[in-house]
Amino acid sequence: MKPAIPEKSIETLREEHGSDVVRLSLNETSIGPSPLALEAIRRQSETVQYYPEGSSIELRRKIAQKLDIEPEMVLVSFGADNVILLIGQAFLDTGDEVILADLSFPTYLLMTRIMQAVPVKVPLKDLSNDLEAVAGRITEKTKLIFVTNPHNPTGCVTTRTEWERFLSAIPDHVVVVLDEAYFDYVVSDDYPNSIDYLNGSQPVIGLRTFSKLAGLAGARVGYAMAPPEIVGYLQRVVEPYGMCSLSQAAALASLDDEEHREKVLALNRAGREYFHHRFDEMGLTYSRSETNFVFVKVGQDAGTVYEKMRAKGVLIRPIVGWSTGDYIRISIGTPEQNERCIQVLKEALSRRQS
Ligand SMILES: *Cc1c(COP(=O)(O)O)cnc(C)c1O
């Protein structure tokens, strides 16, 4: 295995590219978290010498109350990323199979490799999950299936009909993970909410995060929603002292700020329309994203476009080594950041320049 290479910190990027560097590569929230969350971190810091309560019960209670489920159905950890690792530790043995989309969130594959399990990759169909093909790849060795909805990096939504047909065909020995990192941004009416599938016969784990809408990516808070029995299995592999107390306080407080939530969503909606209009003008095709990012086919090598844009202080995510190699993902930022991004993208794509 090779270690994953994460993006440099925003501080380092500012040193290298200047203070106005724009990072639209990690789907962060441009305007940051709720002021209530920042205040909660300050307050909580006064008792930072004490270990936190291990099961994060206060945060789990609040999340459960918001979702109208039991706290026993919620497990909190250091980002949804770490929840994914916990799921692997709880359910996988060497040689088990994990089904995931070919082009999906990298941590699924990382976790599969760590657990010495076998990844089974299923191509996307029209930039969306092909759940029929996924169901067709199930064997006796399949233990986990990852479905991202809306999908990352394409932003496309899988409909309730597709999901329910798929779920009804899943055998008992398989756990389905429904990653809903972008749940908050969905506009479709026929979106299948994981909460509605936690009491069925099929083991389903829903995943969500405070890194996107809540703007707390640096605090690392994510959670699983699952039947109590499944949460019980995950609890066997968590560290006894659980989550960072400052992060828990921030997440708790952010749940109270409806106004901030609406503000982020409104900014995001406007930003998405802006990007899509510009793409139309530029003659570029893009996905029907229901997330805080857009996914566009630029018609030139994605890696080269990325380098050219980076040289001008705008970071986007090139999708390298997949399909035609000319797709990029751009996180939606503030109006100023979005405009600068389009400007720099146009320059990168212009023939004159290259
Ligand atoms: C961002 C993201 C996560 C991870 O979120 P963290 O809570 O920051 O670890 C998980 N899944 C998908 C699909 C994501 O895009």
Side-chain angles (χ1 to χ4, degrees):
M1 287 178 66
K2 292 191 195 120
I5 302 167
E7 182 55 88
K8 291 173 182 169
S9 75
I10 196 75
E11 290 83 5
T12 307
L13 289 172
R14 282 179 180 152
E15 274 168 32
E16 290 179 1
H17 298 273
S19 61
D20 62 345
V21 64
V22 175
R23 176 153 84 185
L24 300 178
S25 55
L26 291 174
N27 302 341
E28 293 154 326
T29 291
S30 56
I31 59 165
S34 156
L36 299 182
L38 299 179
E39 176 52 31
I41 293 174
R42 259 177 244 121
R43 224 177 315 119
Q44 189 67 42
S45 69
E46 289 164 20
T47 51
V48 79
Q49 73 269 38
Y50 300 113
Y51 278 107
E53 190 275 320
S55 76
S56 309
I57 190 60
E58 216 190 328
L59 180 54
R60 288 168 56 215
R61 276 203 192 110
K62 182 113 172 201
I63 291 169
Q65 185 201 338
K66 287 254 167 195
L67 300 175
D68 200 19
I69 57 177
E70 299 302 316
E72 292 70 34
M73 297 172 76
V74 179
L75 178 115
V76 190
S77 194
F78 319 103
D81 260 315
N82 199 58
V83 180
I84 293 165
L85 299 182
L86 293 175
I87 291 170
Q89 288 171 23
F91 293 105
L92 292 179
D93 292 314
T94 303
D96 285 341
E97 290 176 1
V98 177
I99 308 182
L100 43 116
D102 185 9
L103 194 60
S104 57
F105 191 60
T107 309
Y108 310 151
L109 194 58
L110 173 71
M111 174 278 280
T112 303
R113 295 217 166 105
I114 291 174
M115 298 312 298
Q116 298 189 333
V118 180
V120 176
K121 292 186 181 182
V122 177
L124 294 175
K125 190 171 146 192
D126 301 329
L127 305 183
S128 285
N129 288 301
D130 186 352
L131 294 187
E132 223 178 295
V134 169
R137 299 296 298 275
I138 295 172
T139 70
E140 278 138 52
K141 288 188 169 175
T142 308
K143 282 273 182 71
L144 293 176
I145 299 177
F146 283 91
V147 178
T148 321
N149 195 25
H151 197 64
N152 179 7
T154 65
C156 296
V157 163
T158 296
T159 64
R160 191 181 300 132
T161 318
E162 289 170 86
W163 163 255
E164 290 186 354
R165 190 183 305 136
F166 165 75
L167 198 60
S168 67
I170 303 298
D172 292 343
H173 65 279
V174 177
V175 175
V176 184
V177 182
L178 191 51
D179 186 336
E180 297 179 328
Y182 302 94
F183 165 83
D184 298 279
Y185 303 94
V186 171
V187 287
S188 296
D189 289 334
D190 62 349
Y191 173 79
N193 184 333
S194 64
I195 300 285
D196 296 333
Y197 304 93
L198 302 184
N199 293 315
S201 57
Q202 195 54 52
V204 172
I205 303 178
L207 289 185
R208 292 192 193 158
T209 176
F210 286 83
S211 297
K212 309 285 154 66
L213 177 94
L216 287 169
R220 312 301 301 123
V221 189
Y223 60 98
M225 306 156 288
E229 189 190 352
I230 300 271
V231 170
Y233 294 133
L234 297 178
Q235 275 167 341
R236 292 171 206 193
V237 293
V238 299
E239 303 84 331
Y241 286 104
M243 285 281 298
C244 164
S245 54
L246 306 181
S247 302
Q248 290 190 60
L252 257 175
S254 75
L255 287 170
D256 286 328
D257 200 338
E258 233 2 84
E259 200 184 317
H260 181 263
R261 179 190 161 81
E262 292 305 323
K263 193 169 154 189
V264 173
L265 289 177
L267 200 63
N268 194 67
R269 258 193 311 274
R272 183 166 42 206
E273 278 176 28
Y274 170 80
F275 273 112
H276 287 169
H277 283 149
R278 295 292 91 77
F279 294 156
D280 284 336
E281 287 168 8
M282 295 162 74
L284 303 177
T285 55
Y286 49 88
S287 71
R288 293 162 47 116
S289 175
E290 298 193 27
T291 61
N292 67 349
F293 58 82
V294 291
F295 187 75
V296 58
K297 184 173 168 68
V298 291
Q300 295 183 27
D301 178 65
T304 311
V305 172
Y306 163 78
E307 290 298 343
K308 286 182 183 173
M309 293 181 74
R310 189 181 176 106
K312 294 188 171 163
V314 177
L315 277 70
I316 52 95
R317 172 60 53 94
I319 310 297
V320 178
W322 179 77
S323 180
T324 41
D326 59 348
Y327 286 89
I328 63 172
R329 190 192 71 188
I330 305 171
S331 313
I332 297 167
T334 61
E336 300 73 37
Q337 291 173 333
N338 300 340
E339 281 168 31
R340 181 146 159 236
C341 177
I342 285 290
Q343 179 60 36
V344 168
L345 174 63
K346 280 182 178 164
E347 289 165 15
L349 296 180
S350 92
R351 300 276 168 203
R352 264 174 295 134
Q353 211 225 357
S354 53

